[in-house]
Amino acid sequence: LPCPHQSDRSPRVMNHRSTSRTSPSRNAFTMIELVVAASIMIALMSVVTSLTFRIHGVWKDTNQQRIATWAVSSELERITSLPADEIATALEELEASVELQNALTQPEWSGDFIDDELGPRVALRLDWKRRHPGTPLELVGWVLDTTAKEETSQ
C-alpha cells in the first residue's frame, strides 16, 4: 500500500533547464537584445541626420544657383537693350544689389563686350563664394541693334 504522504507521480528529475534558478520568460527582452537594438537605432538616426544636412546643403546650393541665374538674366536683358555706346559704361558700373548680396555670399560681377563676325554681344558673369569650388555663372546675349529699328521706322 502506498503511503498517504507519497504522491502517485514519479520523482521529478532536475536538469539544467528546470532548476530552481530559472531565467525569466523568454518573451522578455534581455539586456544584450536591448543594447543591440539601441545600437541599431543610433546608427540609423546618425545616417538620417547626416542625409538631412546634406539635402539641406544641396537645396541651398540649388536656390543660390537659381537666384544667380535670375540676376544674370535680368541684368543681361537690361544691358543688351542699351545703345551700343552705353554698354561699356554699364559693364564697368556693374554692382550687386542689396537683395543679391543678401542671397549670395560675396557676389562679384564681370562682363565683356564682344564685337566680332558673330555680331555684337555681351558676356556677363556672376561669381559668389560657395560651399564648394565652382565656376562663375555666365550668360551671353546679343546686343539689340536699336539704330536699325530707328532708321526703318522713320
Side-chain angles (χ1 to χ4, degrees):
L1 279 166
C3 178
H5 299 298
Q6 287 185 342
S7 149
D8 285 344
R9 290 196 228 150
S10 61
R12 193 168 187 185
V13 177
M14 300 287 268
N15 63 22
H16 71 282
R17 290 182 186 235
S18 61
T19 62
S20 61
R21 294 204 242 144
T22 58
S23 61
S25 169
R26 284 301 299 155
N27 293 334
F29 289 108
T30 64
M31 185 59 82
I32 293 175
E33 290 170 328
L34 289 175
V35 169
V36 169
S39 300
I40 292 171
M41 287 288 291
I42 290 171
L44 288 175
M45 287 172 53
S46 67
V47 167
V48 169
T49 303
S50 174
L51 286 176
T52 301
F53 280 110
R54 285 185 184 184
I55 289 170
H56 176 71
V58 169
W59 177 255
K60 186 176 179 181
D61 292 345
T62 303
N63 192 40
Q64 287 181 344
Q65 186 74 21
R66 183 186 55 81
I67 290 169
T69 302
W70 172 82
V72 173
S73 175
S74 298
E75 197 64 28
L76 187 63
E77 186 176 343
R78 183 187 72 78
I79 291 174
T80 56
S81 64
L82 293 172
D85 56 341
E86 295 178 22
I87 291 177
T89 306
L91 289 173
E92 290 173 7
E93 296 174 350
L94 280 174
E95 191 174 302
S97 66
V98 174
E99 293 85 9
L100 192 59
Q101 290 176 3
N102 290 335
L104 302 176
T105 307
Q106 301 173 356
E108 295 180 17
W109 285 102
S110 63
D112 298 315
F113 179 69
I114 305 164
D115 194 4
D116 57 11
E117 69 274 357
L118 296 175
R121 62 191 183 279
V122 174
L124 199 55
R125 288 171 296 285
L126 178 60
D127 198 8
W128 67 96
K129 187 176 180 183
R130 299 169 180 85
R131 294 181 315 121
H132 52 80
T135 59
L137 177 66
E138 181 176 9
L139 293 178
V140 177
W142 271 256
V143 176
L144 301 174
D145 192 4
T146 56
T147 56
K149 290 181 184 177
E150 290 174 8
E151 290 174 2
T152 56
S153 64
Q154 292 177 356

